[in-house]
Amino acid sequence: MAQTFLHTLFGPGARALQSAAGSRGSYARMEAGAGPVDALTDRELDFIAARDSFYMASVSEDGWPYVQHRGGPAGFLRRVAGNRIGFADYRGNRQYLSTAHVAADDRVALFLMDYPNRRRLKMIGHAHASEDPAVIAALMPPDYAAVPERAFLIDVVGFDWNCPQHITPRFTEAEIRSASQPLIDEIAALRARIAQLEGQSS
């Protein structure tokens, strides 16, 4: 896990700084196990399937980094086969930045967050856009009110899990509602019991 991710991203500068900081030895041992890819396991695939958003970084034709938010129903980003994942690209502001970027340089980075549980997964890979109707249909979430224009397919090269340090827990409205429901139900039952007792005493 993460061997290929680190081996791919560590350059001479990072390795020199690691040597100065005393961390190079442990990272060198991790890099030694690098293969063609970090193979996705059930842990990563389950995490990906539970996400309703992520961030994707690409590089412009002039070399500028660009990060775009992607969202949809949980599971809209999913495994296609092997180490390939994909998602339907919905019609938006028609700037087509990510689409143009990956056509010129297919390298992307993905950042997936789980704020309630303070977990994050980073992935790097090669992406391409597809306008094949069958591919788009296979990745389009059912009954989702969005118009797909294309699909993005990403061959994951490496991934890394980060520590939870400095991640502030945040919760969606649905998560708060789910966590609060037992208390709401208990209050409703208590009110019903009080009303019943008041009716008996009148």
Side-chain angles (χ1 to χ4, degrees):
M1 182 177 70
Q3 290 96 331
T4 305
F5 180 94
L6 298 177
H7 183 68
T8 303
L9 292 181
F10 286 167
R15 292 186 178 99
L17 290 170
Q18 292 163 12
S19 295
S23 60
R24 181 64 202 141
S26 60
Y27 285 126
R29 287 190 292 274
M30 292 182 69
E31 282 191 80
V37 300
D38 291 325
L40 296 171
T41 69
D42 288 342
R43 181 190 182 197
E44 289 76 44
L45 295 172
D46 289 345
F47 186 82
I48 292 168
R51 306 278 65 79
D52 61 5
S53 70
F54 67 94
Y55 302 92
M56 184 173 78
S58 57
V59 182
S60 76
E61 293 93 329
D62 294 326
W64 284 97
Y66 173 73
V67 179
Q68 189 170 53
H69 173 267
R70 297 287 180 162
F76 80 103
L77 176 66
R78 66 189 73 167
R79 182 188 205 175
V80 176
N83 246 39
R84 174 172 287 186
I85 59 176
F87 63 96
D89 182 32
Y90 315 129
R91 180 177 299 165
N93 56 19
R94 301 187 181 183
Q95 291 181 344
Y96 304 115
L97 293 174
S98 297
T99 306
H101 293 173
V102 301
D105 184 335
D106 69 357
R107 292 174 297 175
V108 296
L110 276 63
F111 209 100
L112 286 69
M113 294 296 304
D114 175 4
Y115 287 106
N117 296 299
R118 303 176 67 215
R119 297 186 299 168
R120 54 188 164 186
L121 176 64
K122 299 181 296 188
M123 297 187 288
I124 55 173
H126 299 282
H128 73 272
S130 172
E131 296 185 0
D132 183 333
V135 174
I136 297 171
L139 290 170
M140 186 63 193
D143 303 320
Y144 188 55
V147 179
E149 288 192 330
R150 67 190 56 78
F152 276 101
L153 301 171
I154 303 166
D155 293 309
V156 177
V157 171
F159 64 84
D160 188 21
W161 290 92
N162 278 134
C163 69
Q165 189 176 18
H166 307 304
I167 300 178
T168 301
R170 293 181 173 88
F171 302 88
T172 65
E173 181 180 347
E175 289 164 343
I176 293 172
R177 188 186 308 114
S178 176
S180 304
Q181 194 60 49
L183 179 59
I184 293 172
D185 293 342
E186 186 175 338
I187 292 172
L190 182 59
R191 285 176 174 169
R193 180 57 178 160
I194 291 173
Q196 181 183 30
L197 293 174
E198 288 177 342
Q200 292 174 352
S201 62
S202 59

